[in-house]
Coordinates of all heavy atoms in Angstrom, one line a residue:
D42 N 80.5 129.7 86.8 CA 81.5 130.7 86.9 C 81.3 131.8 85.8 O 81.5 133.0 86.1 CB 82.9 130.1 86.6 CG 83.3 129.2 87.8 OD1 82.7 129.2 88.9 OD2 84.3 128.4 87.6
T56 N 73.6 113.9 83.1 CA 72.6 113.3 83.9 C 72.0 114.2 85.0 O 70.8 114.0 85.4 CB 73.1 112.0 84.6 OG1 74.2 112.4 85.5 CG2 73.6 111.0 83.6
E61 N 71.1 121.4 86.4 CA 71.0 122.3 87.6 C 71.7 123.6 87.4 O 71.4 124.6 88.0 CB 71.5 121.5 88.8 CG 70.7 120.3 89.2 CD 71.4 119.4 90.2 OE1 72.6 119.6 90.4 OE2 70.6 118.6 90.9
I63 N 72.2 125.3 84.3 CA 71.7 126.2 83.3 C 70.4 126.8 83.8 O 69.5 126.0 84.3 CB 71.5 125.4 82.0 CG1 72.8 124.9 81.4 CG2 70.8 126.3 80.9 CD1 72.7 124.2 80.1
K85 N 63.5 119.8 80.0 CA 62.2 120.4 79.9 C 61.6 120.8 81.2 O 61.0 121.9 81.4 CB 61.2 119.5 79.1 CG 59.9 120.1 78.8 CD 59.1 119.2 77.9 CE 57.8 119.8 77.5 NZ 56.9 118.9 76.6
I110 N 83.1 100.3 54.3 CA 82.8 99.2 53.5 C 83.9 98.9 52.5 O 84.4 97.7 52.4 CB 81.5 99.5 52.7 CG1 80.3 99.5 53.7 CG2 81.3 98.4 51.6 CD1 79.0 100.1 53.0
T112 N 87.1 99.7 52.9 CA 88.2 99.3 53.7 C 88.1 97.8 54.1 O 89.0 97.1 54.0 CB 88.3 100.1 55.0 OG1 88.5 101.5 54.7 CG2 89.5 99.7 55.9
G114 N 86.1 95.6 52.4 CA 86.1 94.8 51.2 C 87.5 94.6 50.6 O 87.8 93.5 50.0
I119 N 94.3 96.7 57.2 CA 95.4 95.7 57.6 C 96.6 95.8 56.6 O 97.7 95.7 57.0 CB 94.8 94.3 57.8 CG1 95.8 93.4 58.5 CG2 94.4 93.7 56.4 CD1 95.3 92.2 59.1
N124 N 102.2 97.2 55.9 CA 103.3 97.9 55.2 C 104.1 98.7 56.1 O 105.3 98.8 56.0 CB 102.7 98.8 54.1 CG 103.3 98.5 52.7 OD1 104.3 97.7 52.6 ND2 102.8 99.1 51.7
A138 N 81.0 96.4 43.3 CA 80.0 96.3 42.2 C 79.3 95.0 42.2 O 79.9 93.9 42.3 CB 80.7 96.5 40.9
K140 N 77.7 93.6 44.6 CA 77.5 93.1 45.9 C 76.2 93.7 46.5 O 75.7 94.7 46.1 CB 78.7 93.4 46.8 CG 80.0 92.8 46.4 CD 79.9 91.2 46.4 CE 81.2 90.6 46.0 NZ 81.7 91.0 44.6
G151 N 70.9 106.9 56.1 CA 70.7 105.6 55.4 C 70.4 105.8 53.9 O 71.0 105.1 53.1
M164 N 76.1 98.8 43.6 CA 75.7 97.8 44.6 C 74.2 97.6 44.5 O 73.4 98.5 44.1 CB 76.1 98.2 46.0 CG 77.6 98.3 46.2 SD 78.0 98.6 48.0 CE 78.0 96.9 48.6
G174 N 59.6 104.6 54.5 CA 59.4 106.0 54.3 C 59.4 106.4 52.9 O 59.3 105.5 52.0
F180 N 66.8 102.3 46.6 CA 66.8 101.0 47.2 C 66.2 100.0 46.2 O 65.1 100.3 45.6 CB 65.9 101.0 48.5 CG 66.5 101.7 49.7 CD1 66.5 103.1 49.8 CD2 67.2 101.0 50.7 CE1 67.0 103.8 50.8 CE2 67.7 101.7 51.7 CZ 67.7 103.1 51.8
F210 N 70.4 96.1 69.6 CA 69.5 95.7 68.5 C 70.3 94.6 67.7 O 69.7 93.6 67.3 CB 69.2 96.8 67.6 CG 68.3 96.5 66.4 CD1 67.0 96.3 66.6 CD2 68.9 96.3 65.2 CE1 66.2 95.9 65.5 CE2 68.2 96.0 64.1 CZ 66.8 95.8 64.2
L253 N 83.9 99.4 62.8 CA 83.1 100.1 63.8 C 83.7 101.5 64.1 O 84.9 101.6 64.3 CB 83.2 99.3 65.1 CG 82.8 97.8 65.0 CD1 83.1 97.1 66.3 CD2 81.3 97.6 64.7
T270 N 91.4 92.5 69.6 CA 92.2 91.3 69.4 C 91.9 90.6 68.1 O 92.6 89.6 67.8 CB 92.1 90.4 70.6 OG1 90.7 89.9 70.7 CG2 92.4 91.0 71.9
L271 N 90.9 91.0 67.5 CA 90.4 90.3 66.2 C 90.9 91.0 65.0 O 90.7 92.2 64.8 CB 88.9 90.2 66.2 CG 88.2 89.5 67.4 CD1 86.7 89.5 67.3 CD2 88.8 88.0 67.5
E272 N 91.6 90.3 64.1 CA 92.1 90.9 62.9 C 91.0 91.4 62.0 O 91.2 92.5 61.4 CB 92.9 89.8 62.1 CG 93.5 90.3 60.8 CD 94.4 89.3 60.1 OE1 95.4 88.9 60.7 OE2 94.0 88.8 59.0
V274 N 88.4 93.0 62.7 CA 87.6 94.1 63.2 C 88.4 95.4 63.0 O 89.5 95.5 63.5 CB 87.3 93.9 64.7 CG1 86.6 95.1 65.3 CG2 86.4 92.7 64.9
V312 N 64.4 122.1 67.9 CA 64.2 121.6 69.3 C 64.1 120.0 69.2 O 63.4 119.5 68.4 CB 63.0 122.2 69.9 CG1 62.6 121.6 71.2 CG2 63.2 123.7 70.1

Side-chain angles (χ1 to χ4, degrees):
D42 291 349
T56 60
E61 293 172 341
I63 296 180
K85 186 174 184 179
I110 292 168
T112 299
I119 193 160
N124 233 357
K140 297 297 184 297
M164 297 186 83
F180 289 81
F210 178 81
L253 310 170
T270 61
L271 300 178
E272 180 174 294
V274 173
V312 174

